[in-house]
Amino acid sequence: MKTTKVYFVFILFLIGWSCNNDPLNRVPVAYLPAVQQALQRAGENQHALLEFLKACKGQEMEGAAFLLAYMPQRDLQSLSPEFLIENIKYAYQARKVAPWGDRLPDSIFFNYVLPYASIHERRDDWRKQFYERFLSLVKNASSPGEAAVILNEKIWDMLDVHYSTQRPKADQSPFESIEAGMASCTGLSILLVDACRAVSVPARFVSAPMWYDNSGNHSWVEIWDNGWHFIGAGEPGPLDETWFVDIAGHANKRDWKYRIYAVSYKKTALQFPDFFAPAVDYLYAIDVTDRYSRTPSQLQGQNVELRIKVLDRKSGQRLALPVRLFSGKTLIASGRSRGERNDLNDMLTFKAPPGAVLTVEVNNNGKKITRQLKTGFEKIQQVILEVD
């Protein structure tokens, strides 16, 4: 009789031990069906994902469940438990030490801090390295917006990464950009998003597939600080003040390619238009066109935009030189042209009335080159000056 009782107690112990060690028993009910489906889709990598879940403690479990519930198929079948464990460990650690961490809504933290990638780029294990390198930069920041501005001022020289049209490819991962020492606006944006997320600044990748005048496309970053704000990666300056404000103001919804999209890790009803990998079907988006576009009355005005580009006559490379605009002998505008480290669409822009006779002056190491022009009536007019 005693043997039977001992055996019965042992069976109950095994059942209890098994239940307690099954990580699915700790997955929040709201995520459980999606997590179970994700594990089935993981195939041979299912064991790795279960190891990841087993390692998650306390609050980490809900974040882990969120990641698995919306994880792309390619990642379900390939990511290691070590990669995922490190990612979630340092994400929660950064939230704990950030002054604003306890003020972040879970929905924002899950969707814009926890994710390990922005688009279809190579999956690098950047989280721990960026946390350790960049946390000290923002230790005195009081808000995620302030921290993002500091990161955008400091990290590019620290990493020795700058904009260049000579980058190996447009859609580089963070470590690919660091290795190359250069990146496109897409690569810079991916890197800045990751740097921000590493210190618990909610950030997301944003893209305009095509500007309204078909002059090109662009990618940048949005930062959450009690609402969304934008910043140009590798273009230091305040939030919501960049060279593309005016051209983005013309964004409209008449055609998908003229809209502006922010990437969402969580699945939405809208697919993100990935123009570097059109076959990719696992990226989702939020249409944020209305945040940037302006009404026709706001866009109306008598002035035209003169976009100034200064080139070296021999190499054709863009030069950063002082430029002044005169009406007769009256100086009406001045600035500095953009060099090779600036985005191709980023040009010194002056506003002037249509039909005006003006003089553009470029100072090349003390030698002044001038050109007279008459503005037309087109809204945007490009002026190219070549210097020796």
Side-chain angles (χ1 to χ4, degrees), residues 342-354:
N342 292 87
D343 189 273
L344 278 173
N345 292 302
D346 180 7
M347 287 177 266
L348 174 63
T349 302
F350 295 142
K351 293 188 177 182

Side-chain angles (χ1 to χ4, degrees), residues 235-248:
E235 301 162 1
L239 296 178
D240 302 329
E241 294 182 22
T242 68
W243 63 266
F244 56 81
V245 169
D246 287 337
I247 194 167

Side-chain angles (χ1 to χ4, degrees), residues 170-184:
D171 48 348
Q172 292 169 176
S173 69
F175 291 170
E176 286 176 328
S177 293
I178 292 170
E179 182 180 355
M182 61 186 79
S184 68

Side-chain angles (χ1 to χ4, degrees), residues 214-231:
N214 296 311
S215 61
N217 53 48
H218 194 48
S219 301
W220 61 93
V221 178
E222 284 190 340
I223 303 298
W224 189 91
D225 189 346
N226 292 317
W228 289 103
H229 305 270
F230 56 89
I231 190 168

